[in-house]
């Protein structure tokens, strides 16, 4: 006898359930399959952490923009054109030599779509959501990061509408860099708070060879 | 509501194991569920709070064992059935037809 229900895998009929639902809704004229394909393409290929990286790089090079970003993130991000669903109410939290910020949604998967795209699977998973609020330093170690004991760690739990974005510290050795070049240093993980931006050396290594 | 979704501070969920790279969607059906969520939301059939609540009402064991987009499918089905937008019978009949077609 084989196992009829292996609960660690998606149920075998899930594909069929999705097709059935889509087909019933399409028959009733309640959804437009072509429009759905377009939506998928936008969220899979067009919106991603590159948007957030632009926000961060601008804040690193333009002190007035950074002020606006920290006082009214929603409006400041909108200036760059990255607003919309799941980015209606934004707060940007700034990393400093004394403070490291991390974001989570312990209740579900709230994430700033317009600036970071759709969240990675681990962000939505029970291990990250359960543990980051009680053991942030332990979680950071899993991402290969060890913070000094003196550094304060702040974990921001997204609520129903509010979405957070971390403004990481600008890497050393990038004085005088143009905004466009700085964008390449900003990683998705650095804007969630489970990573740091790349260093200028990382970038040379990538470009080198 | 402090249901099973309220995971903050809970012990025993194991390591995170973040992969270095991963696709936005792992399976094609995840893509379709994501789009269906926005499509039905855009059609005004539920709001985000109702959607979340439909996930929060899931059976706790099902919630913990189910994958992320499975939660979404469960919520979309639940809400559309409760609101009478689709019926169980329509879904079952269509599933049977699709199955027969293979």
């Amino acid at each position: 006898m084989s196992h009829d229900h292996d609960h660690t895998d998606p149920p075998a009929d899930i594909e069929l359930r999705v097709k059935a639902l889509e087909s019933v809704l399409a028959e009733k004229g309640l959804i437009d399959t072509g429009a759905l394909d377009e939506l998928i393409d936008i969220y899979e290929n067009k919106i991603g952490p590159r948007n957030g990286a632009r926000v961060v790089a601008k804040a690193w090079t333009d002190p007035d923009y950074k002020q606006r970003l920290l006082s009214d993130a929603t409006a400041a991000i909108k200036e760059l054109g990255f607003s919309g669903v799941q980015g209606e109410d934004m707060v940007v939290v700034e990393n400093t030599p004394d403070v490291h910020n991390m974001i989570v949604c312990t209740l579900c998967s709230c994430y700033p779509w317009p600036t970071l795209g759709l969240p990675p699977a681990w962000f939505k998973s029970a291990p990250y959501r359960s543990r980051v609020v009680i053991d942030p330093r332990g979680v950071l170690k899993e991402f290969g990061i060890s913070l000094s004991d003196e550094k304060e760690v702040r974990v921001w739990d997204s609520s129903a509408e509010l979405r957070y974005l971390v403004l990481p510290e600008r890497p050393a050795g990038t004085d005088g860099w143009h905004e466009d070049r700085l964008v390449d240093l900003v990683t998705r993980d650095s804007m969630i708070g489970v990573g740091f931006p790349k260093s200028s050396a990382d970038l040379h290594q990538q470009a080198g060879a | 509501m402090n249901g099973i979704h309220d995971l903050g501070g809970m012990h025993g969920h194991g390591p995170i194991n973040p992969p270095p790279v991963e696709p936005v969607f792992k399976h094609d059906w995840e893509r379709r569920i994501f789009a269906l969520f926005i499509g039905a939301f855009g059609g005004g059939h539920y709001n985000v709070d109702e959607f979340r609540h439909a996930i929060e009402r899931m059976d706790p064991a099902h919630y913990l064992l189910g994958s992320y987009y499975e939660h979404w499918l469960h919520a979309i089905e639940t809400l559309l059935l409760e609101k009478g937008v689709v019926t169980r019978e329509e879904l079952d009949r269509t599933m049977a037809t699709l199955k027969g077609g293979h």
Side-chain angles (χ1 to χ4, degrees), chain A residues 104-149:
Chain A
V104 64
C105 171
T106 60
L107 296 177
C108 45
S109 53
C110 302
Y111 194 72
W113 291 3
T115 35
L116 294 186
L118 297 180
W122 58 259
F123 185 86
K124 307 177 286 195
S125 73
Y128 180 76
R129 287 162 50 196
S130 61
R131 198 140 50 81
V132 70
V133 288
I134 46 170
D135 181 21
R137 286 171 196 273
V139 165
L140 285 174
K141 282 201 182 112
E142 278 197 48
F143 285 87
I145 287 178
S146 196
L147 292 182
S148 79
D149 290 343

Side-chain angles (χ1 to χ4, degrees), chain A residues 66-164:
Chain A
K66 182 176 155 187
Q67 268 320 310
R68 294 203 293 284
L69 186 65
L70 294 176
S71 58
D72 183 354
T74 313
I77 290 169
K78 196 175 177 185
E79 286 177 36
L80 303 189
F82 309 131
S83 49
V85 180
Q86 297 293 307
E88 295 94 340
D89 203 354
M90 293 290 302
V91 167
V92 169
V93 287
E94 183 189 14
N95 281 354
T96 68
D98 301 320
V99 176
H100 181 83
N101 294 284
M102 303 173 73
I103 62 173
V104 64
C105 171
T106 60
L107 296 177
C108 45
S109 53
C110 302
Y111 194 72
W113 291 3
T115 35
L116 294 186
L118 297 180
W122 58 259
F123 185 86
K124 307 177 286 195
S125 73
Y128 180 76
R129 287 162 50 196
S130 61
R131 198 140 50 81
V132 70
V133 288
I134 46 170
D135 181 21
R137 286 171 196 273
V139 165
L140 285 174
K141 282 201 182 112
E142 278 197 48
F143 285 87
I145 287 178
S146 196
L147 292 182
S148 79
D149 290 343
E150 286 79 53
K151 197 154 205 165
E152 182 189 339
V153 181
R154 292 182 189 161
V155 181
W156 302 85
D157 192 356
S158 312
S159 71
E161 308 305 336
L162 200 60
R163 302 287 176 269
Y164 296 98

Side-chain angles (χ1 to χ4, degrees), chain B residues 42-60:
Chain B
H45 300 294
Y46 47 76
N47 62 38
V48 177
D49 291 325
E50 288 176 302
F51 182 75
R52 278 191 205 110
H53 185 229
I55 294 177
E56 293 165 1
R57 287 186 277 146
M58 281 178 81
D59 168 73

Side-chain angles (χ1 to χ4, degrees), chain A residues 22 37 44 109 130 142 160, chain B residues 9 16 31-32 52 63 68:
Chain A
E22 185 169 346
D37 289 340
E44 190 164 14
S109 53
S130 61
E142 278 197 48
Chain B
I16 299 162
R31 265 187 201 93
R32 305 313 302 176
R52 278 191 205 110
Y63 181 90
Y68 180 73

